[in-house]
Amino acid sequence: VIGASADPAKLGYGIMSNLLHPQTGFPGPVYPVNPRAEAILGARCYSGILSVPDPVDLAVLIIPAEMTASVLEDCGKRGLKAAIIISGGFREVGGEGVERERLLLEIAKRYGMRLMGPNGIGVIDAHTPLNTTFTTGTVGAGFIDFVSQSGALCGGILDWALAHNLRFSRFLSIGNKVDVNETDLLEYLGADNLSRVITLYLEDIKDGPGFLAAARQAVARKPILVLKSGRTTSGQTATASHTGALASGHAAFRAACRQLGMDEFEDIEAMFQAAIALAYQPPPRGNRLALLTNAGGPAALAADVLEPAGLALAHTSPDTRAVLGQFLNPNAPLDGPVDMLGAAGVEQYGRALEALLADSANDGVLVILVPTILIDPAATLQALVSVARSSRAGKPVLACLFGEASLAGGYAAADQGGVPAYRFPEQAVHAFAALHRRALWLGSQHPQPVSPSGVNPGKVHELIASALQAGRTALDAVASRVVLHAYGIQSPEDILVTSPEGAANQAARIGFPVAMKLISPDILHKTEVGGVLLNLQDHDAVWDGFGQIIQRARQAYPRAEILGVQIQGMVRGGQEVIVGMKRDPVFGPLIMFGLGGVYVEALADVSFRLPPLTRLDAEAMIDELRSSRLLTGLRGAPPADRQALVDVILRIGQLAVDCPEITEMDINPLVVLPEGKGALAVDARIILAQP
């Protein structure tokens, strides 16, 4: 420990104290390094790392930031391969701190060292045991891993965990992530047999594709629960596409969680409550939760949150009601929730749980206990634990001990028996919902991504190269149509015209009614300047419309390059939707789907996924919309061609993967015609990366 201290007011003392703790301290030798002390907490001090005797595996540095590089250099010379840097004063302070951090990484690479930190609180491995932090108290060995980018958050969580008997396998503070980051730890923890659940608190992600690959491997073995800060933004910068405006910085991360089966939380306490259930109880076979209680009110609270959480209240089978009626109060409601009434004691709780676990009409049981003078919480929970352990039903059992002051013995018995116990019924229901989500993911298919046929990436690359060479960073509707056709996405017949006479003649050839749209590389949002006219019925309307569109564009943007007006046949019927893409700086292309037209940004009823996409991904994107029922055919309207829509989403996903030069794009609207008739891209906008 470089920077160890004999002063109880110093962090270096706290680290030594934890490492040398008589019950939970590190079992191997610990060497304090401090040139101004002879011994610290009974351990002999050394003047520097070079004088520490062999063997030594890990250095913990808690020294001023300006000294860290030279000391790390000595660690490298000494042959150490691992270091934890607790000290702050690096990238988080900017300026000189960024350069200090760069130098640390350079030294580590030169000597083949791995670094944790800087600006973290260190590592707790409850199974070794090892505690390099300066926090108070030590958690017991459990089955939950926690990785946090915030050191301060770690301190608070540890204190909360001690108060609630929450035990960890490993507790890892990664700080500024100069070297070891969340991806490295996911690879390690996913393969670790000492833990059952991984929990993450993240502020940013360094390597999006690497993180996704590690998460995909880890989540197949154990649940990953994650809370990421920065989910909202105070404002959006101007973007060239609807997708760009709607794809917040968090949208790509949320899409990754949904695709990979990671469970995202917005509340850190809820994340750990779910982790406890996942660490100690099996996933349920279905979503039916039986409620067993001695008080109706808490059961009603639990029942109210079942449906929003994707769960259902289990109703007791006739055979089980007959069994319960043999020993419960004759006035007790038995259909579900099973309310044993206030006089229920230890025996009734045990026998009732046994009956419910044997009942095939439920998939798990939540036992609610409200303290009364008639019941011993500790004895009751011991009985419940005994029944749960002896049951062969393989169902999860959770408890809600509704209260706190008189229930310490009950919580302790639940904790010792591996039955998750919660203070409020809503918490327990949400924990069961996490178990159910894990069960759904384990039971679902995970097919390989689809590679659509009939695509021509070469043609698109040529078109994009020509546009960039000409200095254009946006493709107008005419050029975008060529891109879409190269990827098998159809559009109505259209033609570019440059005069009112040409407009009228081509409209007559295509057939009335027609739409007219301004084509200009400098004016991307055509509707905002009156550059779109719809449902024009005759020669004169088209002739006059051409002049109106050009005049409005000139007034709004006098210097804009105007290529002409697009004449397009009107599409009759169908449902307007939007399919788009925005390239996320961390995760890469992000595909969006939503209802189309001018209201897409106002309603923001959209879903996102990261390509390459599977057919199930595309189906899920459609089903996630609140307004997806409009595609099924309401009030006599025919259902939309869902399979054609799925196909377009898959093709846009492939286009995004094949063409990294595209940074944003929209098909808005894509008109999805009645079932069996396909889908047509009515308008499109493609934005290219700056050359």
Side-chain angles (χ1 to χ4, degrees):
V1 180
I2 304 171
S5 176
D7 182 353
K10 297 287 183 68
L11 298 182
Y13 178 90
I15 293 172
M16 287 297 299
S17 178
N18 281 332
L19 286 169
L20 297 174
H21 191 280
Q23 280 82 45
T24 58
F26 180 62
V30 177
Y31 304 112
V33 174
N34 186 328
R36 293 185 296 276
E38 292 185 2
I40 295 176
L41 294 172
R44 176 190 167 186
C45 261
Y46 294 84
S47 60
I49 185 65
L50 296 176
S51 60
V52 172
D54 283 326
V56 60
D57 302 299
L58 171 67
V60 181
L61 281 65
I62 184 158
I63 54 179
E66 60 270 17
M67 298 171 55
T68 306
S70 62
V71 172
L72 189 65
E73 183 88 35
D74 287 343
C75 290
K77 293 175 181 176
R78 178 69 176 69
L80 270 77
K81 296 301 179 186
I84 297 171
I85 302 175
I86 306 290
S87 317
F90 294 90
R91 177 166 50 91
E92 78 278 5
V93 301
E96 191 178 354
V98 176
E99 175 59 24
R100 287 178 185 147
E101 202 164 288
R102 186 199 64 77
L103 186 56
L104 292 181
L105 187 57
E106 180 185 297
I107 294 167
K109 287 182 176 178
R110 191 186 321 141
Y111 290 102
M113 277 189 289
R114 298 306 305 266
L115 302 182
M116 184 86 84
N119 191 35
I121 68 163
V123 166
I124 298 175
D125 179 338
H127 293 284
T128 296
L130 172 74
N131 184 350
T132 74
T133 76
F134 47 81
T135 57
T136 359
T138 304
V139 294
F143 305 106
I144 299 171
D145 293 321
F146 180 51
V147 177
S148 174
Q149 199 168 336
S150 166
L153 189 74
C154 287
I157 291 299
L158 278 172
D159 198 61
W160 176 81
L162 286 168
H164 293 84
N165 296 318
L166 179 60
R167 296 188 295 276
F168 291 94
S169 175
R170 291 178 178 83
F171 199 93
L172 309 169
S173 169
I174 52 180
N176 290 5
K177 306 186 293 187
V178 66
D179 177 26
V180 173
N181 59 37
E182 61 282 339
T183 299
D184 300 307
L185 294 177
L186 271 181
E187 290 176 356
Y188 170 71
L189 297 174
D192 175 33
N193 292 322
L194 292 175
S195 70
R196 299 172 184 168
V197 183
I198 300 171
T199 58
L200 305 171
Y201 169 77
L202 301 174
E203 294 170 356
D204 61 21
I205 293 170
K206 279 198 166 183
D207 171 17
F211 177 83
L212 296 179
R216 186 175 286 107
Q217 293 293 322
V219 80
R221 297 197 62 191
K222 61 189 70 172
I224 299 176
L225 282 53
V226 59
L227 186 152
K228 186 177 181 297
S229 62
R231 297 186 300 276
T232 60
T233 54
S234 57
Q236 288 278 4
T237 57
T239 52
S241 68
H242 292 295
T243 306
L246 290 162
S248 67
H250 192 68
F253 182 77
R254 179 161 292 151
C257 290
R258 288 176 175 173
Q259 282 174 268
L260 298 182
M262 295 187 292
D263 206 347
E264 186 188 8
F265 289 80
E266 296 184 359
D267 179 314
I268 197 158
E269 185 177 14
M271 180 174 77
F272 284 117
Q273 288 165 350
I276 296 168
L278 287 158
Y280 292 99
Q281 293 296 310
R285 296 187 182 92
N287 71 338
R288 302 166 302 170
L289 181 62
L291 304 179
L292 175 64
T293 183
N294 66 343
L301 292 176
D304 277 345
V305 293
L306 286 171
E307 188 174 336
L311 305 175
L313 175 64
H315 294 285
T316 316
S317 69
D319 288 347
T320 301
R321 288 199 297 272
V323 172
L324 294 171
Q326 295 173 11
F327 58 88
L328 292 182
N329 188 310
N331 297 318
L334 303 180
D335 181 59
V338 176
D339 184 355
M340 301 180 293
L341 305 180
V346 175
E347 182 184 355
Q348 286 91 342
Y349 264 104
R351 292 178 67 183
L353 177 60
E354 186 175 16
L356 288 176
L357 288 176
D359 190 348
S360 61
N362 68 70
D363 303 299
V365 182
L366 169 58
V367 181
I368 301 172
L369 184 151
V370 176
T372 71
I373 200 168
L374 303 174
I375 195 164
D376 180 344
T380 303
L381 265 294
Q382 287 168 359
L384 293 174
V385 166
S386 177
V387 170
R389 284 179 170 174
S390 61
S391 172
R392 297 183 179 180
K395 297 178 182 179
V397 176
L398 283 70
C400 169
L401 308 185
F402 199 14
E404 192 157 359
S406 64
L407 294 170
Y411 283 115
D415 179 62
Q416 291 166 10
V419 172
Y422 303 92
R423 279 151 180 80
F424 296 99
E426 299 92 337
Q427 296 171 335
V429 169
H430 289 303
F432 184 84
L435 285 167
H436 176 55
R437 289 192 295 272
R438 177 64 177 173
L440 287 177
W441 189 87
L442 289 172
S444 63
Q445 297 179 346
H446 304 289
Q448 292 299 308
V450 174
S451 297
S453 60
V455 301
N456 187 350
K459 185 173 184 178
V460 177
H461 288 308
E462 289 177 9
L463 189 150
I464 291 173
S466 297
L468 292 174
Q469 190 173 5
R472 296 196 302 273
T473 55
L475 301 182
D476 57 42
V478 175
S480 296
R481 175 178 177 270
V482 176
V483 172
L484 298 182
H485 283 202
Y487 271 73
I489 300 170
Q490 300 304 309
S491 63
E493 183 181 358
D494 63 64
I495 190 166
L496 179 66
V497 297
T498 56
S499 68
E501 181 180 11
N505 290 338
Q506 292 300 330
R509 185 187 63 79
I510 290 173
F512 296 105
V514 297
M516 300 180 69
K517 302 174 185 179
L518 174 70
I519 300 298
S520 168
D522 301 320
I523 305 174
L524 295 177
H525 294 288
K526 300 182 288 291
T527 55
E528 294 178 5
V529 298
V532 176
L533 297 176
L534 302 176
N535 209 35
L536 301 174
Q537 299 288 341
D538 55 38
H539 175 282
D540 291 343
V542 172
W543 187 293
D544 294 342
F546 184 94
Q548 292 172 19
I549 288 175
I550 299 299
Q551 182 182 9
R552 290 168 182 171
R554 292 289 185 211
Q555 288 175 345
Y557 294 92
R559 297 183 179 180
E561 179 185 6
I562 297 176
L563 301 179
V565 173
Q566 181 188 42
I567 307 296
Q568 187 179 70
M570 290 290 296
V571 180
R572 295 178 176 85
Q575 176 66 53
E576 291 189 358
V577 302
I578 180 173
V579 180
M581 185 278 290
K582 178 182 170 70
R583 205 162 291 275
D584 183 81
V586 176
F587 292 101
L590 178 66
I591 308 302
M592 183 194 80
F593 168 72
L595 284 194
V598 296
Y599 300 111
V600 59
E601 288 184 35
L603 299 176
D605 187 14
V606 294
S607 60
F608 295 93
R609 288 295 186 276
L610 297 166
L613 301 174
T614 68
R615 186 164 291 276
L616 288 179
D617 289 331
E619 297 272 6
M621 291 179 75
I622 298 170
D623 293 336
E624 281 173 16
L625 263 60
R626 299 186 301 274
S627 49
S628 62
R629 286 186 61 213
L630 293 173
L631 297 168
T632 63
L634 296 177
R635 299 185 178 228
D641 195 333
R642 182 183 175 98
Q643 292 312 307
L645 174 56
V646 167
D647 185 64
V648 171
I649 294 172
L650 293 173
R651 290 177 182 278
I652 292 299
Q654 190 65 48
L655 173 63
V657 170
D658 292 343
C659 301
E661 305 94 336
I662 299 176
T663 59
E664 294 180 32
M665 72 168 293
D666 284 338
I667 304 175
N668 184 32
L670 174 77
V671 177
V672 188
L673 298 171
E675 202 165 31
K677 298 190 179 298
L680 295 173
V682 173
D683 199 5
R685 179 185 298 121
I686 295 177
I687 312 301
L688 307 177
Q690 296 284 346

